Amino acid sequence: MVREILVSEDKFETRVAIIEDGSLVEFYVERPTMHGLAGSIFLGKVENVLPGMQACFVDIGEDKNAFLYVDDAFLPGEDDEDLEPGRRKKAGRKTIGQVVKPGEEILVQVTKEAMGTKGPRVTRHVSLPGRYLVLMPTVSYVGVSHRIADSRERQRLKRMARALKPAGMGLIVRTVAEGKTENEIRADLEFLLKLWEKICAKAKTAKAPALIHHDLGLVFRIVRDEFNAQTARMLVDNARTYEKVLALLDAVAPELKDRVIYYRKKGTPLFSLYGVEEAVNSALSRQVWLKSGGYLVIDKTEALTVIDVNTGKYVGSHDLAETVFRTNMEACTEIAKQLRLRDIGGIIIIDFIDMTNPEHKNAVLRKLEEELRKDHTKTTVLGLTGLGLVEMTRKKVRQSLDEVLEKPCPTCHGKGRVLSEETVASRIRREILSVARTSSGEAILLEANPQVASILIGPGGSSLRELEKEAGKSIFIRGSEALGIEDVSLKPIGQKSEAEKKAVPVSPGDVLEVVIEEPHFSKPLDGIARVEGYVLDVEGAANLVGKKTLVQIVSCHRTHARAKVVGEGTVAENAR
């Protein structure tokens, strides 16, 4: 596998792409306006202790208080050697009220960013990642990265970590430490111990709530966590960032400096060269096509993500069971890739195409687990449910890719769907009748999306005439392209003439460039054009349908205007 890291930076944002065998597998964005907290350490003040939830809220100085669960608040003692952080012995378990008190100042680290309506999640089990080690100053624990598969190497590193581990502290050996000497690992530990001393010293003089330590920026985190011997090269398109990366590698991994390349070809942007922009756009799509012709549908809710596998265009060549099996096997690879690229976390439900062969089911589960092992974020496959759905979880620390790059639709407010034009028009009719009953003015002025306005007016103004008759008032409708399907502005107007002046967007004598949309329904030689939903009846323009045409307004009426073609014909013809 060829692995490359691309770094593109300007004054507005920093972007990092991780490429494996020419395919984008991870993508990160950091902007000056972003306020990432994951990994940062705060001196917080305990606010609300909730015995019913065995948790408390901690004021860390952010917009929302942080959530601290009892297992993350409990600090194990020396007798808890090799007890993984976040797990407590069942004997002598303490309640949240015994562990923390309201008003108490405690040192906490953010483990999960604030998302949606929820504040950040924090722990007292501080962890400081280095190049080869993760130092855990508050728990006594020794572990080795599960991605180091060789059992003899795992044992060597674990013995080394036990020998180096300071009393009362914990160490986790990172994947990149594989094959490293004791001196290299000891130097990393000494750096982390000095960092912890600085954090403790700052915490002693600070007053809660206060930020004590902020994790490194995006590029330096990537160098620390992702740039290793398996990476063929790192390309950087910013000179200052390039120099900073080299300086950091001088301290942590000088043997990798020759793999860092300054990309100077400004004519072809770095991300365009590798097709990153297109891959990111695809990662924001709900539907993902497989090479065989099958496809995935990925839907997110606040609580979980659902992935549906479909055969699509793939019909196979032998039998149905084989077609389904091959599609599901291909989907496993793409699902694992999409989880990494989109950085999807939490509960994930996968609806593979139904399989009746038990061997096929087991093979698909094994394939999924194999592909997920490439993911450095912790994943757990729980197996098949009674309905044949695969349940799994993926640790969620930061916002997913779509949460970083997108926002809820201001028109549909995140629903993903909007009301139809007919539904909106019906609602507006009812609202007009309600306003008409309480207004003393002569007229009502309505602004709506042109498609909605067209329905309200009806063919030849027939729908509008019926509505005016029922309302007992003059109604003027103006279409506006700036308004969404569901947007509407409705105002009672005192004088009919005032409403008419505001509603008609053109005046006699105006010369406009319009597109002739269709022939007139009752005058076959005329054409219809529209300006903000307002109908123009263009004399003799039926043969110009679909073409841009210069027209001059002859006369104006409430629901339409009469116009004539200027000169010989279309804009293109006049240009020639």
Side-chain angles (χ1 to χ4, degrees):
M1 179 181 69
V2 179
R3 189 172 189 267
E4 299 171 284
I5 298 176
L6 315 180
V7 180
S8 180
E9 183 172 0
D10 56 34
K11 63 181 180 181
F12 300 108
E13 65 180 5
T14 300
R15 299 179 298 164
V16 174
I18 297 180
I19 309 293
E20 292 180 358
D21 290 334
S23 178
L24 178 68
V25 294
E26 294 180 33
F27 182 78
Y28 304 95
V29 179
E30 186 175 77
R31 302 186 183 108
T33 54
M34 287 181 173
H35 191 42
L37 297 179
S40 296
I41 299 172
F42 292 83
L43 183 65
K45 180 182 287 188
V46 178
E47 290 287 323
N48 309 93
V49 176
L50 309 172
M53 297 178 64
Q54 285 300 301
C56 68
F57 286 102
V58 183
D59 180 9
I60 60 173
E62 295 296 311
D63 294 339
K64 298 172 183 174
N65 285 346
F67 181 83
L68 176 65
Y69 183 59
V70 63
D71 281 358
D72 295 317
F74 178 79
L75 297 178
E78 283 291 333
D79 61 333
D80 291 322
E81 175 73 33
D82 286 342
L83 187 65
E84 189 175 351
R87 299 179 183 272
R88 296 185 293 153
K89 294 180 178 179
K90 290 186 178 180
R93 289 175 72 102
K94 294 183 178 180
T95 65
I96 189 66
Q98 294 172 311
V99 177
V100 295
K101 305 294 181 185
E104 181 180 354
E105 295 188 357
I106 56 175
L107 199 66
V108 294
Q109 184 174 37
V110 176
T111 59
K112 188 176 180 181
E113 300 273 7
M115 297 178 191
T117 59
K118 298 177 181 177
R121 183 159 180 170
V122 295
T123 180
R124 295 177 76 184
H125 307 140
V126 173
S127 60
L128 299 175
R131 178 70 177 171
Y132 305 123
L133 299 170
V134 177
L135 174 66
M136 298 177 294
T138 60
V139 294
S140 184
Y141 172 78
V142 172
V144 177
S145 168
H146 69 277
R147 299 180 72 186
I148 299 177
D150 186 89
S151 59
R152 297 180 68 178
E153 178 65 3
R154 290 180 65 85
Q155 288 300 319
R156 182 186 79 89
L157 292 170
K158 194 159 191 175
R159 286 195 301 269
M160 189 185 302
R162 285 185 183 278
L164 293 173
K165 183 181 82 71
M169 294 188 181
L171 292 177
I172 295 178
V173 182
R174 307 190 73 179
T175 308
V176 74
E178 188 171 8
K180 298 301 177 182
T181 66
E182 183 174 339
N183 287 337
E184 290 174 302
I185 293 177
R186 179 184 286 109
D188 197 41
L189 175 59
E190 289 173 355
F191 166 78
L192 293 173
L193 288 172
K194 289 178 182 177
L195 176 60
W196 176 239
E197 288 176 6
K198 291 179 182 178
I199 290 170
C200 292
K202 187 174 180 180
K204 286 180 181 178
T205 59
K207 183 177 180 181
L211 173 64
I212 304 300
H213 169 74
H214 199 290
D215 198 13
L216 298 174
L218 174 59
V219 174
F220 288 163
R221 287 202 310 271
I222 292 295
V223 171
R224 180 190 68 193
D225 301 338
E226 299 289 347
F227 192 33
N228 51 38
Q230 284 70 51
T231 305
R233 58 179 182 169
M234 172 185 279
L235 288 88
V236 185
D237 68 2
N238 181 283
R240 191 173 68 171
T241 302
Y242 170 73
E243 295 296 336
K244 286 182 178 180
V245 169
L246 292 180
L248 180 61
L249 288 173
D250 262 334
V252 299
E255 71 277 9
L256 296 178
K257 286 180 64 177
D258 61 349
R259 302 190 188 191
V260 183
I261 299 170
Y262 176 42
Y263 183 79
R264 293 179 170 85
K265 296 179 182 179
K266 300 303 180 183
T268 304
L270 177 59
F271 277 22
S272 297
L273 182 68
Y274 280 77
V276 173
E277 307 286 5
E278 294 82 357
V280 171
N281 289 336
S282 176
L284 298 174
S285 173
R286 179 172 176 260
Q287 186 168 301
V288 180
W289 285 98
L290 305 176
K291 291 180 180 179
S292 65
Y295 64 93
L296 309 177
V297 176
I298 303 175
D299 284 318
K300 289 181 64 180
T301 71
E302 187 171 348
L304 56 82
T305 299
V306 179
I307 302 176
D308 186 28
V309 183
N310 299 276
T311 54
K313 304 172 185 176
Y314 181 51
V315 295
S317 56
H318 295 92
D319 57 31
L320 176 61
E322 188 67 21
T323 300
V324 167
F325 176 62
R326 288 183 179 277
T327 304
N328 284 339
M329 291 291 281
E330 185 184 5
C332 289
T333 302
E334 189 63 33
I335 287 169
K337 174 187 167 184
Q338 291 296 324
L339 292 180
R340 289 178 66 189
L341 178 54
R342 299 173 187 236
D343 203 7
I344 295 172
I347 302 169
I348 300 162
I349 303 294
I350 305 172
D351 184 10
F352 285 105
I353 307 168
D354 289 341
M355 296 172 287
T356 56
N357 188 328
E359 292 182 2
H360 285 178
K361 291 181 180 181
N362 292 331
V364 167
L365 279 177
R366 287 195 301 270
K367 177 67 172 177
L368 180 62
E369 289 171 341
E370 176 190 332
E371 294 295 333
L372 289 172
R373 279 195 284 272
K374 301 174 184 177
D375 192 347
H376 58 75
T377 299
K378 183 179 180 181
T379 59
T380 304
V381 178
L382 303 175
L384 283 164
T385 69
L387 295 174
L389 306 174
V390 173
E391 292 181 323
M392 65 169 289
T393 61
R394 186 173 186 270
K395 187 176 181 181
K396 189 175 181 71
V397 177
R398 294 180 171 85
Q399 291 180 316
S400 59
L401 183 64
D402 63 322
E403 290 169 327
V404 172
L405 299 181
E406 298 178 325
K407 70 172 187 176
C409 171
T411 299
C412 71
H413 305 290
K415 292 187 301 183
R417 298 175 66 86
V418 296
L419 296 174
S420 68
E421 293 87 343
E422 292 82 1
T423 301
V424 175
S426 296
R427 287 187 175 185
I428 291 174
R429 290 189 192 100
R430 291 192 290 272
E431 190 173 349
I432 286 173
L433 295 176
S434 176
V435 170
R437 285 193 292 269
T438 58
S439 171
S440 59
E442 293 182 357
I444 294 174
L445 176 62
L446 169 72
E447 277 192 281
N449 181 275
Q451 297 176 59
V452 176
S454 179
I455 293 173
L456 289 167
I457 293 170
S462 57
S463 298
L464 179 58
R465 286 194 294 271
E466 290 180 14
L467 185 58
E468 286 183 319
K469 184 177 179 180
E470 190 173 354
K473 295 183 184 295
S474 296
I475 300 171
F476 295 87
I477 299 175
R478 179 180 179 125
S480 174
E481 296 285 358
L483 296 177
I485 295 296
E486 296 183 2
D487 297 331
V488 62
S489 173
L490 188 64
K491 300 176 184 176
I493 305 292
Q495 298 293 322
K496 179 179 175 179
S497 58
E498 181 185 353
E500 186 173 12
K501 184 177 180 181
K502 291 181 178 180
V504 178
V506 297
S507 301
D510 290 349
V511 176
L512 311 170
E513 179 183 297
V514 297
V515 175
I516 306 300
E517 298 177 6
E518 57 190 334
H520 196 288
F521 72 99
S522 62
K523 302 175 184 177
L525 296 180
D526 290 358
I528 295 294
R530 289 181 176 85
V531 177
E532 296 181 350
Y534 183 74
V535 175
L536 304 184
D537 177 0
V538 185
E539 299 172 6
N543 62 333
L544 300 176
V545 171
K547 298 180 179 179
K548 288 184 179 180
T549 307
L550 284 177
V551 302
Q552 185 175 36
I553 305 300
V554 176
S555 61
C556 295
H557 309 278
R558 243 178 350 115
T559 60
H560 72 285
R562 296 282 296 169
K564 63 180 181 180
V565 176
V566 175
E568 296 296 323
T570 67
V571 173
E573 289 168 348
N574 288 333
R576 288 197 296 269

